[in-house]
Amino acid sequence: MTHPIPPAVRLRDAVASRGGRPVLRGVDLTVQPGEVVALLGANGSGKSTTVKAVIGAVPLEQGALELFGVPYAGFRAWHRIGYVPQRTTAASGVPATVREVVSTGRLPQHRLLPFRRRDRAAVDRALAAVGMLERAGDGVADLSGGQQQRVLIARALVGTPDLLIMDEPMAGVDAASQQVLADTLRAEVARGAAVLLVLHELGPLEPLIDRAVVLRDGCVAHDGPPVPNTGLHALPGHDHVHPHADHTPPRLLA
Amino acid sequence: MTEMLSYDFMQRALLAAVLVGITAPAVGIYLVQRRQALMGDGMGHVAMTGVGLGFIFQTSPVWMAVLVCVLGAVTMELVRSRGNQRGDIALAMLFYGGMACGKLLVSLSAQAGAGSLESYLWGSILTVAPADLITIAVLGTVVVAVTVGLRRQLFAICQDEDFARVTGLPVRTLNLLLAVMAAVTVTVAMRVVGLLLVSALMVVPVVAAQQLTRSFAATQAASIALGVVVSLAGVTGSYHLNVPSGPAIVLLAIAVFAVFSLLAAPLARRRHRAATDPGPKVCDVELPERIPGQVPKRNAEQLPGQGSSDATTPERGAGLAQ
């Protein structure tokens, strides 16, 4: 089977360890252009490490990584990738505004040149997409966890990436922000972006997901259509609310 | 004032103070951003070995200190970027070793006088020679050009290193560049405030400024302005009161920090009031009827929408994990 367009991510037989402990024991992961892939698994199964291997933050001891058909060592088109790390906080030791944090996502475009009007416009668009434009001048430390997550997503969107990589975007995010996030993600998918999502659970993003890869102990345990979570869905009181159904937050999250 | 400015050594001292007042906070802000505020201190300790080597080889202690301090800073950066769990111990060895080695080398050197090392430990701004001033000016210009010119890049790597890597920035090179700039700053500031207080001038103006600022750019600008003001005021004050200039500058900076942090609390309150809807004053939310045996710990005033997603997470997660 050959694809005319190379896959956005092709990770083959990835072996990696962190702090001397083997975490990935031969992971294969492919994300086709325009495809939404969820990476699932228990804590410690290697989800985050897989994503960090994809962006090159964790070196591979064995295996191969290609991004958009280019081997990692020669890959330079970083503007095609938007990354949302697992959030601890968007704040650091010195105050920074929402706009300043989001502007760092524009670095692949303006590089050493000054920040220009079109860069500023791109930041405004990304902030508007996550509903944070009116908070652009506020300090990130003053925002709630969900709002900080929206800022980090705007930072990834600001370069209009072809591949969006998100590590646990729903963790510790309030219902309103989850809704914004699902809407944003749907718009990105409609635009044609490929998405690689690390999730603890499918949750409200389930209708968007084309394929689920489940990791267990650093190995791929399942790679295929998302497994409907029948056990949970059958629970009394569970409403299966699709995020695009309306603008009230899903009851399960509310 | 005119009397003070009529002395050549005072003119040089004030000029050196201005240069260091600009340079130290310009690079210090990145250390504070990365929560490595004490890194400058460690570099000051390491620089002592450089001073000692300068004494031994009868060369300029400043350039020797630059060399040793840059080597030390690169080592520290490599330890940090490895994320080594025992990294703090490696750094401790480097700091103590640098200080002990410096004292030892100075005592071995021929020109070991009583006050020879003293002047580097506490600074001796009044003995800044024209040649020193040129060195300070050249090095300071380089540091400011890098730390202000590459503000967006350095901000990105200090804010979120993993993200910066995905933007294609040469993260390792920039980290090393920042470490070298910090090392150079330490040696530049050594004559003005001394190696033991060098870190204060890199950190205190920044933390004082950020009490009142919200953006990184404003914090950097304000901390540089503050650095210049306290350095000039410190040197002037030390001239009139006949006290050493380094401690005067640092104590002045701390006083400014104290005043600013007193101002910060009411300012932040006002800002919050303007930015957010405070919500109802009293809790008038009716709780759903309490089911017996349910977690009683939950705060009564919590809205029913809050926190419950957390409560559902474990069982939902467990369902998927299997």
Side-chain angles (χ1 to χ4, degrees), chain B residues 205-238:
Chain B
V206 176
V207 292
Q210 74 182 26
Q211 301 300 315
L212 304 181
T213 55
R214 264 192 294 184
S215 78
F216 185 86
T219 309
Q220 194 177 34
S223 61
I224 289 173
L226 212 56
V228 170
V229 170
V230 294
S231 300
L232 280 178
V235 172
T236 311
S238 71

PDB file of all heavy atoms in Angstrom, chain B residues 205-238:
ATOM      1  N   PRO B 205      16.911  43.339  40.644  1.00  0.00           N
ATOM      2  CA  PRO B 205      16.144  44.285  39.821  1.00  0.00           C
ATOM      3  C   PRO B 205      15.010  43.598  39.048  1.00  0.00           C
ATOM      4  O   PRO B 205      13.947  44.184  38.864  1.00  0.00           O
ATOM      5  CB  PRO B 205      17.188  44.853  38.850  1.00  0.00           C
ATOM      6  CG  PRO B 205      18.482  44.664  39.536  1.00  0.00           C
ATOM      7  CD  PRO B 205      18.352  43.400  40.319  1.00  0.00           C
ATOM      8  N   VAL B 206      15.239  42.344  38.639  1.00  0.00           N
ATOM      9  CA  VAL B 206      14.212  41.623  37.883  1.00  0.00           C
ATOM     10  C   VAL B 206      13.014  41.312  38.775  1.00  0.00           C
ATOM     11  O   VAL B 206      11.867  41.604  38.417  1.00  0.00           O
ATOM     12  CB  VAL B 206      14.786  40.316  37.284  1.00  0.00           C
ATOM     13  CG1 VAL B 206      13.697  39.534  36.584  1.00  0.00           C
ATOM     14  CG2 VAL B 206      15.925  40.621  36.337  1.00  0.00           C
ATOM     15  N   VAL B 207      13.284  40.756  39.951  1.00  0.00           N
ATOM     16  CA  VAL B 207      12.147  40.390  40.811  1.00  0.00           C
ATOM     17  C   VAL B 207      11.457  41.633  41.359  1.00  0.00           C
ATOM     18  O   VAL B 207      10.254  41.615  41.613  1.00  0.00           O
ATOM     19  CB  VAL B 207      12.547  39.425  41.943  1.00  0.00           C
ATOM     20  CG1 VAL B 207      12.932  38.072  41.392  1.00  0.00           C
ATOM     21  CG2 VAL B 207      13.653  39.975  42.799  1.00  0.00           C
ATOM     22  N   ALA B 208      12.208  42.725  41.514  1.00  0.00           N
ATOM     23  CA  ALA B 208      11.564  43.975  41.937  1.00  0.00           C
ATOM     24  C   ALA B 208      10.646  44.475  40.829  1.00  0.00           C
ATOM     25  O   ALA B 208       9.476  44.792  41.070  1.00  0.00           O
ATOM     26  CB  ALA B 208      12.620  45.025  42.276  1.00  0.00           C
ATOM     27  N   ALA B 209      11.140  44.504  39.591  1.00  0.00           N
ATOM     28  CA  ALA B 209      10.346  45.014  38.468  1.00  0.00           C
ATOM     29  C   ALA B 209       9.096  44.174  38.258  1.00  0.00           C
ATOM     30  O   ALA B 209       8.018  44.704  38.010  1.00  0.00           O
ATOM     31  CB  ALA B 209      11.191  45.039  37.198  1.00  0.00           C
ATOM     32  N   GLN B 210       9.221  42.863  38.396  1.00  0.00           N
ATOM     33  CA  GLN B 210       8.083  42.013  38.063  1.00  0.00           C
ATOM     34  C   GLN B 210       6.965  42.069  39.098  1.00  0.00           C
ATOM     35  O   GLN B 210       5.891  41.528  38.869  1.00  0.00           O
ATOM     36  CB  GLN B 210       8.530  40.571  37.831  1.00  0.00           C
ATOM     37  CG  GLN B 210       8.898  39.819  39.071  1.00  0.00           C
ATOM     38  CD  GLN B 210       9.383  38.409  38.725  1.00  0.00           C
ATOM     39  OE1 GLN B 210       9.878  38.163  37.653  1.00  0.00           O
ATOM     40  NE2 GLN B 210       9.220  37.495  39.641  1.00  0.00           N
ATOM     41  N   GLN B 211       7.211  42.763  40.219  1.00  0.00           N
ATOM     42  CA  GLN B 211       6.118  42.985  41.153  1.00  0.00           C
ATOM     43  C   GLN B 211       5.045  43.859  40.509  1.00  0.00           C
ATOM     44  O   GLN B 211       3.875  43.792  40.873  1.00  0.00           O
ATOM     45  CB  GLN B 211       6.615  43.671  42.436  1.00  0.00           C
ATOM     46  CG  GLN B 211       7.684  42.915  43.193  1.00  0.00           C
ATOM     47  CD  GLN B 211       7.227  41.541  43.634  1.00  0.00           C
ATOM     48  OE1 GLN B 211       6.128  41.378  44.147  1.00  0.00           O
ATOM     49  NE2 GLN B 211       8.060  40.551  43.406  1.00  0.00           N
ATOM     50  N   LEU B 212       5.465  44.700  39.576  1.00  0.00           N
ATOM     51  CA  LEU B 212       4.541  45.690  39.017  1.00  0.00           C
ATOM     52  C   LEU B 212       4.237  45.463  37.544  1.00  0.00           C
ATOM     53  O   LEU B 212       3.436  46.181  36.965  1.00  0.00           O
ATOM     54  CB  LEU B 212       5.115  47.099  39.197  1.00  0.00           C
ATOM     55  CG  LEU B 212       5.471  47.515  40.628  1.00  0.00           C
ATOM     56  CD1 LEU B 212       6.002  48.931  40.647  1.00  0.00           C
ATOM     57  CD2 LEU B 212       4.272  47.388  41.552  1.00  0.00           C
ATOM     58  N   THR B 213       4.866  44.483  36.902  1.00  0.00           N
ATOM     59  CA  THR B 213       4.670  44.321  35.464  1.00  0.00           C
ATOM     60  C   THR B 213       3.883  43.056  35.169  1.00  0.00           C
ATOM     61  O   THR B 213       3.773  42.167  36.006  1.00  0.00           O
ATOM     62  CB  THR B 213       6.019  44.224  34.728  1.00  0.00           C
ATOM     63  OG1 THR B 213       6.770  43.176  35.322  1.00  0.00           O
ATOM     64  CG2 THR B 213       6.787  45.514  34.804  1.00  0.00           C
ATOM     65  N   ARG B 214       3.352  43.009  33.952  1.00  0.00           N
ATOM     66  CA  ARG B 214       2.617  41.815  33.544  1.00  0.00           C
ATOM     67  C   ARG B 214       3.250  41.142  32.342  1.00  0.00           C
ATOM     68  O   ARG B 214       3.003  39.977  32.080  1.00  0.00           O
ATOM     69  CB  ARG B 214       1.173  42.185  33.188  1.00  0.00           C
ATOM     70  CG  ARG B 214       0.234  41.970  34.335  1.00  0.00           C
ATOM     71  CD  ARG B 214      -1.183  42.050  33.879  1.00  0.00           C
ATOM     72  NE  ARG B 214      -1.535  43.375  33.423  1.00  0.00           N
ATOM     73  CZ  ARG B 214      -2.764  43.716  33.039  1.00  0.00           C
ATOM     74  NH1 ARG B 214      -3.715  42.815  33.054  1.00  0.00           N
ATOM     75  NH2 ARG B 214      -3.014  44.936  32.631  1.00  0.00           N
ATOM     76  N   SER B 215       4.032  41.874  31.557  1.00  0.00           N
ATOM     77  CA  SER B 215       4.610  41.271  30.356  1.00  0.00           C
ATOM     78  C   SER B 215       6.114  41.098  30.529  1.00  0.00           C
ATOM     79  O   SER B 215       6.747  41.779  31.340  1.00  0.00           O
ATOM     80  CB  SER B 215       4.326  42.136  29.128  1.00  0.00           C
ATOM     81  OG  SER B 215       5.200  43.236  29.098  1.00  0.00           O
ATOM     82  N   PHE B 216       6.650  40.164  29.755  1.00  0.00           N
ATOM     83  CA  PHE B 216       8.079  39.896  29.829  1.00  0.00           C
ATOM     84  C   PHE B 216       8.879  41.080  29.304  1.00  0.00           C
ATOM     85  O   PHE B 216       9.870  41.490  29.913  1.00  0.00           O
ATOM     86  CB  PHE B 216       8.395  38.635  29.013  1.00  0.00           C
ATOM     87  CG  PHE B 216       9.824  38.204  29.120  1.00  0.00           C
ATOM     88  CD1 PHE B 216      10.222  37.387  30.161  1.00  0.00           C
ATOM     89  CD2 PHE B 216      10.757  38.606  28.190  1.00  0.00           C
ATOM     90  CE1 PHE B 216      11.538  36.990  30.266  1.00  0.00           C
ATOM     91  CE2 PHE B 216      12.075  38.212  28.300  1.00  0.00           C
ATOM     92  CZ  PHE B 216      12.465  37.407  29.344  1.00  0.00           C
ATOM     93  N   ALA B 217       8.436  41.647  28.189  1.00  0.00           N
ATOM     94  CA  ALA B 217       9.163  42.771  27.588  1.00  0.00           C
ATOM     95  C   ALA B 217       9.237  43.943  28.563  1.00  0.00           C
ATOM     96  O   ALA B 217      10.299  44.552  28.746  1.00  0.00           O
ATOM     97  CB  ALA B 217       8.482  43.192  26.296  1.00  0.00           C
ATOM     98  N   ALA B 218       8.110  44.233  29.216  1.00  0.00           N
ATOM     99  CA  ALA B 218       8.094  45.345  30.177  1.00  0.00           C
ATOM    100  C   ALA B 218       8.983  45.023  31.372  1.00  0.00           C
ATOM    101  O   ALA B 218       9.672  45.908  31.900  1.00  0.00           O
ATOM    102  CB  ALA B 218       6.662  45.605  30.638  1.00  0.00           C
ATOM    103  N   THR B 219       8.988  43.756  31.809  1.00  0.00           N
ATOM    104  CA  THR B 219       9.821  43.375  32.937  1.00  0.00           C
ATOM    105  C   THR B 219      11.287  43.573  32.598  1.00  0.00           C
ATOM    106  O   THR B 219      12.071  44.083  33.408  1.00  0.00           O
ATOM    107  CB  THR B 219       9.575  41.899  33.326  1.00  0.00           C
ATOM    108  OG1 THR B 219       8.175  41.693  33.483  1.00  0.00           O
ATOM    109  CG2 THR B 219      10.277  41.547  34.615  1.00  0.00           C
ATOM    110  N   GLN B 220      11.669  43.171  31.380  1.00  0.00           N
ATOM    111  CA  GLN B 220      13.074  43.328  30.997  1.00  0.00           C
ATOM    112  C   GLN B 220      13.460  44.808  30.948  1.00  0.00           C
ATOM    113  O   GLN B 220      14.482  45.210  31.516  1.00  0.00           O
ATOM    114  CB  GLN B 220      13.344  42.671  29.634  1.00  0.00           C
ATOM    115  CG  GLN B 220      14.838  42.507  29.374  1.00  0.00           C
ATOM    116  CD  GLN B 220      15.144  41.797  28.076  1.00  0.00           C
ATOM    117  OE1 GLN B 220      14.427  41.940  27.093  1.00  0.00           O
ATOM    118  NE2 GLN B 220      16.213  41.032  28.059  1.00  0.00           N
ATOM    119  N   ALA B 221      12.615  45.619  30.329  1.00  0.00           N
ATOM    120  CA  ALA B 221      12.920  47.049  30.225  1.00  0.00           C
ATOM    121  C   ALA B 221      12.983  47.682  31.616  1.00  0.00           C
ATOM    122  O   ALA B 221      13.931  48.427  31.940  1.00  0.00           O
ATOM    123  CB  ALA B 221      11.862  47.739  29.364  1.00  0.00           C
ATOM    124  N   ALA B 222      11.989  47.375  32.450  1.00  0.00           N
ATOM    125  CA  ALA B 222      11.935  47.988  33.779  1.00  0.00           C
ATOM    126  C   ALA B 222      13.107  47.535  34.643  1.00  0.00           C
ATOM    127  O   ALA B 222      13.664  48.326  35.418  1.00  0.00           O
ATOM    128  CB  ALA B 222      10.615  47.632  34.456  1.00  0.00           C
ATOM    129  N   SER B 223      13.503  46.267  34.510  1.00  0.00           N
ATOM    130  CA  SER B 223      14.590  45.785  35.357  1.00  0.00           C
ATOM    131  C   SER B 223      15.925  46.402  34.938  1.00  0.00           C
ATOM    132  O   SER B 223      16.782  46.674  35.785  1.00  0.00           O
ATOM    133  CB  SER B 223      14.662  44.255  35.333  1.00  0.00           C
ATOM    134  OG  SER B 223      14.907  43.793  34.038  1.00  0.00           O
ATOM    135  N   ILE B 224      16.087  46.662  33.638  1.00  0.00           N
ATOM    136  CA  ILE B 224      17.309  47.338  33.187  1.00  0.00           C
ATOM    137  C   ILE B 224      17.325  48.778  33.721  1.00  0.00           C
ATOM    138  O   ILE B 224      18.343  49.249  34.250  1.00  0.00           O
ATOM    139  CB  ILE B 224      17.403  47.305  31.648  1.00  0.00           C
ATOM    140  CG1 ILE B 224      17.698  45.877  31.176  1.00  0.00           C
ATOM    141  CG2 ILE B 224      18.493  48.259  31.157  1.00  0.00           C
ATOM    142  CD1 ILE B 224      17.651  45.692  29.677  1.00  0.00           C
ATOM    143  N   ALA B 225      16.182  49.463  33.614  1.00  0.00           N
ATOM    144  CA  ALA B 225      16.092  50.831  34.130  1.00  0.00           C
ATOM    145  C   ALA B 225      16.407  50.851  35.622  1.00  0.00           C
ATOM    146  O   ALA B 225      17.183  51.688  36.106  1.00  0.00           O
ATOM    147  CB  ALA B 225      14.695  51.394  33.870  1.00  0.00           C
ATOM    148  N   LEU B 226      15.829  49.893  36.326  1.00  0.00           N
ATOM    149  CA  LEU B 226      16.039  49.802  37.771  1.00  0.00           C
ATOM    150  C   LEU B 226      17.502  49.497  38.092  1.00  0.00           C
ATOM    151  O   LEU B 226      18.080  50.062  39.034  1.00  0.00           O
ATOM    152  CB  LEU B 226      15.150  48.675  38.301  1.00  0.00           C
ATOM    153  CG  LEU B 226      14.596  48.817  39.697  1.00  0.00           C
ATOM    154  CD1 LEU B 226      13.834  50.117  39.818  1.00  0.00           C
ATOM    155  CD2 LEU B 226      13.682  47.640  39.987  1.00  0.00           C
ATOM    156  N   GLY B 227      18.096  48.611  37.291  1.00  0.00           N
ATOM    157  CA  GLY B 227      19.503  48.269  37.494  1.00  0.00           C
ATOM    158  C   GLY B 227      20.390  49.499  37.369  1.00  0.00           C
ATOM    159  O   GLY B 227      21.297  49.720  38.183  1.00  0.00           O
ATOM    160  N   VAL B 228      20.113  50.322  36.367  1.00  0.00           N
ATOM    161  CA  VAL B 228      20.903  51.540  36.165  1.00  0.00           C
ATOM    162  C   VAL B 228      20.708  52.499  37.333  1.00  0.00           C
ATOM    163  O   VAL B 228      21.671  53.045  37.885  1.00  0.00           O
ATOM    164  CB  VAL B 228      20.511  52.210  34.826  1.00  0.00           C
ATOM    165  CG1 VAL B 228      21.145  53.583  34.719  1.00  0.00           C
ATOM    166  CG2 VAL B 228      20.917  51.334  33.658  1.00  0.00           C
ATOM    167  N   VAL B 229      19.451  52.680  37.745  1.00  0.00           N
ATOM    168  CA  VAL B 229      19.151  53.639  38.820  1.00  0.00           C
ATOM    169  C   VAL B 229      19.823  53.215  40.121  1.00  0.00           C
ATOM    170  O   VAL B 229      20.507  54.021  40.765  1.00  0.00           O
ATOM    171  CB  VAL B 229      17.621  53.776  38.999  1.00  0.00           C
ATOM    172  CG1 VAL B 229      17.305  54.565  40.273  1.00  0.00           C
ATOM    173  CG2 VAL B 229      17.015  54.472  37.795  1.00  0.00           C
ATOM    174  N   VAL B 230      19.669  51.945  40.509  1.00  0.00           N
ATOM    175  CA  VAL B 230      20.256  51.543  41.798  1.00  0.00           C
ATOM    176  C   VAL B 230      21.782  51.544  41.725  1.00  0.00           C
ATOM    177  O   VAL B 230      22.440  51.867  42.713  1.00  0.00           O
ATOM    178  CB  VAL B 230      19.743  50.161  42.301  1.00  0.00           C
ATOM    179  CG1 VAL B 230      18.264  50.223  42.620  1.00  0.00           C
ATOM    180  CG2 VAL B 230      20.060  49.043  41.340  1.00  0.00           C
ATOM    181  N   SER B 231      22.359  51.213  40.556  1.00  0.00           N
ATOM    182  CA  SER B 231      23.815  51.220  40.454  1.00  0.00           C
ATOM    183  C   SER B 231      24.358  52.635  40.598  1.00  0.00           C
ATOM    184  O   SER B 231      25.314  52.871  41.353  1.00  0.00           O
ATOM    185  CB  SER B 231      24.258  50.646  39.109  1.00  0.00           C
ATOM    186  OG  SER B 231      23.811  49.333  38.981  1.00  0.00           O
ATOM    187  N   LEU B 232      23.731  53.581  39.890  1.00  0.00           N
ATOM    188  CA  LEU B 232      24.175  54.974  39.982  1.00  0.00           C
ATOM    189  C   LEU B 232      23.964  55.513  41.396  1.00  0.00           C
ATOM    190  O   LEU B 232      24.867  56.132  41.981  1.00  0.00           O
ATOM    191  CB  LEU B 232      23.406  55.837  38.972  1.00  0.00           C
ATOM    192  CG  LEU B 232      23.890  55.784  37.537  1.00  0.00           C
ATOM    193  CD1 LEU B 232      23.009  56.651  36.654  1.00  0.00           C
ATOM    194  CD2 LEU B 232      25.344  56.245  37.444  1.00  0.00           C
ATOM    195  N   ALA B 233      22.786  55.266  41.942  1.00  0.00           N
ATOM    196  CA  ALA B 233      22.483  55.771  43.281  1.00  0.00           C
ATOM    197  C   ALA B 233      23.405  55.133  44.317  1.00  0.00           C
ATOM    198  O   ALA B 233      23.872  55.801  45.244  1.00  0.00           O
ATOM    199  CB  ALA B 233      21.017  55.485  43.615  1.00  0.00           C
ATOM    200  N   GLY B 234      23.679  53.844  44.124  1.00  0.00           N
ATOM    201  CA  GLY B 234      24.551  53.143  45.066  1.00  0.00           C
ATOM    202  C   GLY B 234      25.958  53.709  45.063  1.00  0.00           C
ATOM    203  O   GLY B 234      26.555  53.941  46.125  1.00  0.00           O
ATOM    204  N   VAL B 235      26.482  53.954  43.874  1.00  0.00           N
ATOM    205  CA  VAL B 235      27.841  54.494  43.777  1.00  0.00           C
ATOM    206  C   VAL B 235      27.886  55.918  44.336  1.00  0.00           C
ATOM    207  O   VAL B 235      28.798  56.276  45.100  1.00  0.00           O
ATOM    208  CB  VAL B 235      28.332  54.448  42.310  1.00  0.00           C
ATOM    209  CG1 VAL B 235      29.653  55.192  42.178  1.00  0.00           C
ATOM    210  CG2 VAL B 235      28.495  53.010  41.851  1.00  0.00           C
ATOM    211  N   THR B 236      26.902  56.717  43.991  1.00  0.00           N
ATOM    212  CA  THR B 236      26.848  58.091  44.500  1.00  0.00           C
ATOM    213  C   THR B 236      26.747  58.091  46.026  1.00  0.00           C
ATOM    214  O   THR B 236      27.483  58.815  46.721  1.00  0.00           O
ATOM    215  CB  THR B 236      25.628  58.819  43.901  1.00  0.00           C
ATOM    216  OG1 THR B 236      25.626  58.614  42.498  1.00  0.00           O
ATOM    217  CG2 THR B 236      25.682  60.306  44.187  1.00  0.00           C
ATOM    218  N   GLY B 237      25.845  57.251  46.522  1.00  0.00           N
ATOM    219  CA  GLY B 237      25.659  57.179  47.968  1.00  0.00           C
ATOM    220  C   GLY B 237      26.920  56.718  48.676  1.00  0.00           C
ATOM    221  O   GLY B 237      27.292  57.258  49.724  1.00  0.00           O
ATOM    222  N   SER B 238      27.582  55.738  48.077  1.00  0.00           N
ATOM    223  CA  SER B 238      28.779  55.211  48.735  1.00  0.00           C
ATOM    224  C   SER B 238      29.897  56.261  48.747  1.00  0.00           C
ATOM    225  O   SER B 238      30.704  56.305  49.666  1.00  0.00           O
ATOM    226  CB  SER B 238      29.249  53.927  48.046  1.00  0.00           C
ATOM    227  OG  SER B 238      29.798  54.219  46.795  1.00  0.00           O
TER     228      SER B 238
END
